[in-house]
């Protein structure tokens, strides 16, 4: 069932997922919004403002030349007016319309911020297209280009755009004053813009000596203090709000409330960073892109506090360390982490040009700040952000035990990695890695599980970093309900569907009203004694999303034989079944009966595999279908491309399981 956000049914379902404390807090927010509607925004009084959170001498010189080259190339593209957001190219960046959505051609309406129907694409346009530009992360790229080159034209463009944005977006007016995550990330961008423009003669006039800048910075922080994300919404949004508030209160501590805002934000960051993170270090939303976002935001907040000499609660650094080690553990041989849950390409701090690898950058920063462990994968790429963050973050001894060897099983998150080398002949470059993610964890985070997918017991398989059995991704949030439903559905993942229904029940695009419960029964990974002795890594889990039936899945990886085996069992009454395997976009499949021959190319080398499918089911290949959607892969938000999906249909009667075998060949 698909329910549009904003409908009466959606509001009732959303309310049902809140506790009494959250309901009371949201009622208070509603009263405050009504009061602020008629109140004239106050103008803060600022005297003697100074910016002291500058980069240490020599920090810019530590930026690697190739990273600086990518940065300047990106800045020049921005200067020419070109940018792309979520698959939509726009050429109006020289003089942008801050409320315009190039995807739909619509322009968001003017008015009191909380009256703007931002979820209604027919009225407002695609809200992410509108909001993304005003995160001002393209301005941090231009400011970084100024810092690296000393060329004033980059700084002048930044100043021109900031003044234009401030003029067009008065406090509490318009679409950019609706969402706390947007205000928090924007504040973080402004702090770095000011820092990177420090050598420019107009920097103080733009910020410290500018009453309009004072008003904008003040009202952003006042807003964040008044309307924090609460209860069932306290996910990555609250981290962005706290990080932006802390950064601005440290770097722009010009207001009477700055000390209070700073202390409150750091307490919030400590509480919610811990609350959003499993003890193992994985993000509780079980959406990998948000793990990256939260880690970036946390590191940026710590950098600001250290630059200002403000003590950071010890648990903040400890959590960021655990998150970094967890990221290093789950990444494949090409440094790609799992594709799990929602992904909207959101970043906390952008200082790099196109072509810089996000995950390599985060691991490089983790190495610089915390120190790498021997089992970490090697990071060979370079970036701009790492040396600048490392120049600000103070070394700290953290009494946190770190894994002595690479973890493969994260019991609290229900995530297991089966991996092993594909030992090829001596004439070929090798070994190549066979990597398999198995999902036996919670459905999602908090009562609404906003960024979860109905993907219990799904698997994701890569060979040398290439998606073979792929997680299709996310593609969209608002405005296209059929596509939103497909990409987070059970059929949209490599798992088993019963009676044409999802395992968990959706109440709207960011709301689940019933969550399937999974449990891992066995996880004998490559690092355990049993798997090492037998040469076979095993995993087994089950879920209750189709009660009274139970879906149980076993996965076995025999790396030496280059074979992965998946066995599905349905315990309970006779049910219709669909078993889906989504192939990556690089994979070509030839299906004959219950056997598919898979071929692809990697680094100029032809590779292949055979997928033997359960003979009890009738198999069909789907590719690029739209009514309904089936056979698609989304490499990033707003982008999709046809990919082959193999679907087997039949009946599960409990008599026997369904066995699938994937064998890699030369």
């Amino acid at each position: 069932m698909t329910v549009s956000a904003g409908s009466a049914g959606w509001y009732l379902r959303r309310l049902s997922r809140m506790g009494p404390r959250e309901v009371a807090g949201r009622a208070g927010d509603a009263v405050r919004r009504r009061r602020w509607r008629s109140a004239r925004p106050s103008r803060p009084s600022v005297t003697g403002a100074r910016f002291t959170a500058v980069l240490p001498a020599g920090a810019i010189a530590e930026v690697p030349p190739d990273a600086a080259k990518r940065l300047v190339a990106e800045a020049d593209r921005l200067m020419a007016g070109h940018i792309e957001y979520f698959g939509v190219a726009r050429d109006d960046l020289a003089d942008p319309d801050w409320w315009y959505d190039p995807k739909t051609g619509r322009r968001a309406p003017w008015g009191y911020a909380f009256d703007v129907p931002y979820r209604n694409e027919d009225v407002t346009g695609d809200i992410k297209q509108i909001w993304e530009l005003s995160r001002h992360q393209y301005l941090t790229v231009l400011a970084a280009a100024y810092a690296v080159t000393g060329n004033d034209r980059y700084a002048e463009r930044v100043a021109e755009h900031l003044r234009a944005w401030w003029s067009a977006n008065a406090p509490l007016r318009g679409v950019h004053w609706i969402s706390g995550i947007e205000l928090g990330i924007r504040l973080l961008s402004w702090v770095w813009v000011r820092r990177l423009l420090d050598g420019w003669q107009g920097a103080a006039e733009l910020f410290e000596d500018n009453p309009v800048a004072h008003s904008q910075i003040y009202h952003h922080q006042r807003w964040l203090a008044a309307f924090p994300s609460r209860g069932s919404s306290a996910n990555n949004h609250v981290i962005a709000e706290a990080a932006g508030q802390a950064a601005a209160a440290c770097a722009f501590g010009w207001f009477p409330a700055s000390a209070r805002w700073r202390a409150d934000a750091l307490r919030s960051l400590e509480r919610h960073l811990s609350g959003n993170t499993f003890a193992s270090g994985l993000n509780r939303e079980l959406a990998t892109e948000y793990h990256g976002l939260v880690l970036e935001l946390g590191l940026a907040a710590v950098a600001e506090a250290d630059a200002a000499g403000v003590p950071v609660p010890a648990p903040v650094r400890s959590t960021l360390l655990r998150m970094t080690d967890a990221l290093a553990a789950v990444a494949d041989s090409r440094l790609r982490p799992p594709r799990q849950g929602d992904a909207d390409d959101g970043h906390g701090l952008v200082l790099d040009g196109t072509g810089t690898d996000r995950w390599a950058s985060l691991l490089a920063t983790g190495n610089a700040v915390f120190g790498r462990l021997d089992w970490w994968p090697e990071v060979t790429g370079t970036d701009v952000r790492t040396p600048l963050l490392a120049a600000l973050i103070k070394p700290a001894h953290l009494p946190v035990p770190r894994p002595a060897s690479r973890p493969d099983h994260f019991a609290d998150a229900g995530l297991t990695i089966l991996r092993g080398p594909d030992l090829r002949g001596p004439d070929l470059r090798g070994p190549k890695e066979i990597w398999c993610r198995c999902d036996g964890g919670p459905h999602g985070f908090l009562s609404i599980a906003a960024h979860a997918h109905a993907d219990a017991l799904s698997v994701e398989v890569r060979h040398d970093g290439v998606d073979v059995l792929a997680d299709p991704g996310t593609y969209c949030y608002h405005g296209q309900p059929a596509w939103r439903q497909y990409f987070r559905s059970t059929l949209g993942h490599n798992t088993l569907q019963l009676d044409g229904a999802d395992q968990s029940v959706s109440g709207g695009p960011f709301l689940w009203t019933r969550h399937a419960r999974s449990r891992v029964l066995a996880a004998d990974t490559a690092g355990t004694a049993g798997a090492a002795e037998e040469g076979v890594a095993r995993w087994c889990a089950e879920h209750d999303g189709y009660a009274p039936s139970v879906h149980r899945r076993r996965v076995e990886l025999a790396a030496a034989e280059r074979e992965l085996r998946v066995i599905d069992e349905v315990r309970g009454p006779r049910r219709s079944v669909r078993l889906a395997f989504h192939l990556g976009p690089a994979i070509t499949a030839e299906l004959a009966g219950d056997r598919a021959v898979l071929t692809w190319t990697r680094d100029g080398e032809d590779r292949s595999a055979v997928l033997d499918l359960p003979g009890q089911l009738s198999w069909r290949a789907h590719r690029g279908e739209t009514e309904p959607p089936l056979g698609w892969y989304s490499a990033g938000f707003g982008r999709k491309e046809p990919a082959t999906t193999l679907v087997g249909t039949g009946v599960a009667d409990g008599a026997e399981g369904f066995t699938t075998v994937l064998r890699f060949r030369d």
Side-chain angles (χ1 to χ4, degrees):
M1 176 174 57
T2 300
V3 179
S4 62
S7 69
W10 178 86
Y11 279 113
L12 289 173
R13 288 173 173 82
R14 185 67 181 83
L15 184 64
S16 73
R17 309 307 292 176
M18 301 180 194
R21 185 180 222 176
E22 181 179 355
V23 171
R26 289 179 180 270
D29 291 346
V31 171
R32 191 173 297 109
R33 290 184 183 118
R34 286 198 298 270
R35 189 170 66 246
W36 283 22
R37 177 197 301 274
S38 57
R40 186 179 184 85
S42 57
R43 295 184 65 85
S45 176
V46 177
T47 57
R50 297 176 59 231
F51 183 84
T52 58
V54 297
L55 286 168
I60 293 296
E62 294 299 315
V63 174
D66 57 333
K69 183 178 179 180
R70 291 195 304 272
L71 165 68
V72 172
E74 177 72 3
D76 288 342
R77 187 170 74 96
L78 297 173
M79 290 291 289
H82 306 302
I83 199 166
E84 180 179 312
Y85 288 133
F86 314 130
V88 178
R90 54 191 300 175
D91 299 317
D92 61 341
L93 197 61
D95 183 20
D97 181 340
W98 308 109
W99 298 358
Y100 175 69
D101 166 28
K103 175 182 166 185
T104 64
R106 297 186 179 94
R107 192 170 188 272
W110 170 254
Y112 182 56
F114 297 115
D115 290 341
V116 177
Y118 70 97
R119 294 189 180 97
N120 189 335
E121 188 170 294
D122 293 335
V123 175
T124 304
D126 185 330
I127 194 61
K128 282 190 64 65
Q129 287 286 344
I130 296 172
W131 277 347
E132 192 70 17
L133 185 66
S134 288
R135 289 186 172 189
H136 288 172
Q137 292 175 328
Y138 78 97
L139 293 182
T140 57
V141 171
L142 291 174
Y146 164 78
V148 167
T149 66
N151 190 324
D152 284 355
R153 72 189 186 101
Y154 299 120
E156 290 165 356
R157 177 63 60 82
V158 171
E160 175 190 340
H161 279 208
L162 275 181
R163 292 183 192 278
W165 194 93
W166 289 335
S167 175
N169 293 278
L172 298 177
R173 292 295 178 266
V175 73
H176 296 301
W177 289 88
I178 296 171
S179 173
I181 188 174
E182 303 305 316
L183 276 72
I185 290 177
R186 192 154 53 238
L187 280 175
L188 196 55
S189 294
W190 291 353
V191 170
W192 274 88
V193 163
R194 175 60 187 87
R195 172 176 291 125
L196 293 165
L197 295 186
D198 193 60
W200 180 54
Q201 61 182 0
E205 181 183 358
L206 181 62
F207 281 94
E208 296 95 291
D209 302 333
N210 185 356
V212 176
H214 300 166
S215 178
Q216 287 280 347
I217 294 167
Y218 171 83
H219 282 291
H220 271 66
Q221 294 185 82
R222 178 173 176 255
W223 193 108
L224 290 173
F227 302 111
S229 292
R230 301 177 184 277
S232 57
S233 293
N235 53 12
N236 64 87
H237 284 233
V238 79
I239 304 296
E241 293 159 11
Q245 180 82 293
C250 287
F252 302 137
W254 306 332
F255 312 103
S258 291
R260 173 170 57 83
W261 287 339
R262 181 170 57 241
D264 289 348
L266 288 173
R267 278 195 298 269
S268 177
L269 186 66
E270 176 186 9
R271 174 190 170 198
H272 290 293
L273 190 61
S274 175
N276 273 253
T277 308
F278 286 111
S280 64
L282 289 177
N283 183 266
R284 284 184 182 271
E285 294 199 74
L286 296 173
T288 310
E289 289 284 338
Y290 288 111
H291 184 107
L293 173 65
V294 168
L295 182 53
E296 288 170 354
L297 290 166
L299 290 167
V302 169
E304 294 311 321
D306 284 355
V310 174
V312 176
V316 170
R317 294 184 199 269
S318 299
T319 302
L320 295 174
L321 169 59
R322 287 187 287 110
M323 291 182 70
T324 306
D325 280 342
L327 174 61
V330 300
D332 66 18
S333 60
R334 302 283 179 141
L335 301 184
R336 292 179 62 217
R339 282 166 55 90
Q340 183 179 18
D342 272 350
D344 70 351
D345 296 358
H347 289 72
L349 175 64
V350 179
L351 302 177
D352 280 277
T354 302
T356 299
D357 183 86
R358 175 184 201 170
W359 307 108
S361 171
L362 276 170
L363 290 176
T365 302
N367 180 24
V369 172
F370 303 121
R372 70 184 303 276
L373 297 172
D374 291 342
W375 54 260
W376 274 30
E378 291 292 334
V379 178
T380 58
T382 62
D383 68 306
V384 174
R385 188 178 62 192
T386 287
L388 303 189
L389 280 175
L392 296 174
I393 297 177
K394 296 176 181 177
H397 173 69
L398 300 175
V400 178
R402 301 177 69 183
S405 58
R406 189 173 196 171
D408 286 325
H409 177 57
F410 298 80
D412 48 10
L415 185 148
T416 305
I417 304 293
L418 307 181
R419 69 172 89 227
D422 177 0
L423 300 173
R424 301 164 71 86
D427 56 322
L428 298 175
R429 293 168 296 180
K432 316 302 182 193
E433 181 189 56
I434 302 171
W435 178 99
C436 174
R437 171 182 66 85
C438 303
D439 179 8
H443 174 62
F445 183 46
L446 301 174
S447 62
I448 63 173
H451 292 296
H453 290 185
D455 57 354
L457 309 196
S458 64
V459 296
E460 182 184 4
V461 181
R462 299 176 190 161
H463 184 275
D464 194 19
V466 174
D467 291 320
V468 179
L469 301 182
D471 183 295
T474 298
Y475 178 55
C476 66
Y477 281 169
H478 298 286
Q480 298 170 282
W483 290 102
R484 174 65 171 153
Q485 175 67 12
Y486 167 69
F487 273 100
R488 65 181 195 145
S489 70
T490 298
L491 185 62
H493 294 83
N494 297 317
T495 188
L496 183 145
Q497 182 195 61
L498 294 182
D499 293 343
D502 286 338
Q503 311 151 336
S504 296
V505 177
S506 171
F510 297 98
L511 171 63
W512 296 90
T513 56
R514 185 175 62 76
H515 304 179
R517 294 175 299 177
S518 303
R519 63 175 183 145
V520 176
L521 304 174
D524 195 11
T525 61
T528 62
E533 182 178 343
E534 296 183 34
V536 179
R538 294 183 174 89
W539 172 87
C540 181
E542 64 184 21
H543 76 83
D544 67 355
Y546 293 118
S549 297
V550 172
H551 173 207
R552 177 175 291 184
R553 169 170 278 186
R554 288 181 288 135
V555 180
E556 300 174 353
L557 173 62
E561 284 74 36
R562 307 167 71 190
E563 178 180 291
L564 184 85
R565 186 176 294 263
V566 180
I567 303 98
D568 290 292
E569 300 175 16
V570 179
R571 302 185 176 192
R574 182 182 177 90
R575 310 281 290 268
S576 66
V577 63
R578 285 197 291 184
L579 179 60
F581 290 107
H582 300 261
L583 308 182
I587 308 298
T588 298
E590 294 292 336
L591 176 66
D594 57 7
R595 168 169 282 197
V597 176
L598 316 181
T599 56
W600 67 98
T601 301
R602 177 62 149 168
D603 297 332
E605 187 179 305
D606 292 335
R607 302 182 186 178
S608 65
V610 172
L611 188 63
D612 285 319
L613 301 158
Q616 311 99 300
L617 302 178
S618 175
W619 289 92
R620 216 183 126 195
H622 303 263
R623 184 178 179 86
E625 298 172 11
T626 58
E627 294 183 0
L630 186 60
W632 295 90
Y633 179 93
S634 174
F637 197 84
R639 292 174 286 150
K640 68 180 188 300
E641 59 185 299
T644 300
T645 296
L646 304 175
V647 178
T649 59
V651 173
D653 58 12
E656 58 180 329
F658 304 105
T659 299
T660 304
V661 181
L662 175 64
R663 297 183 183 89
F664 294 97
R665 311 187 304 189
D666 287 333

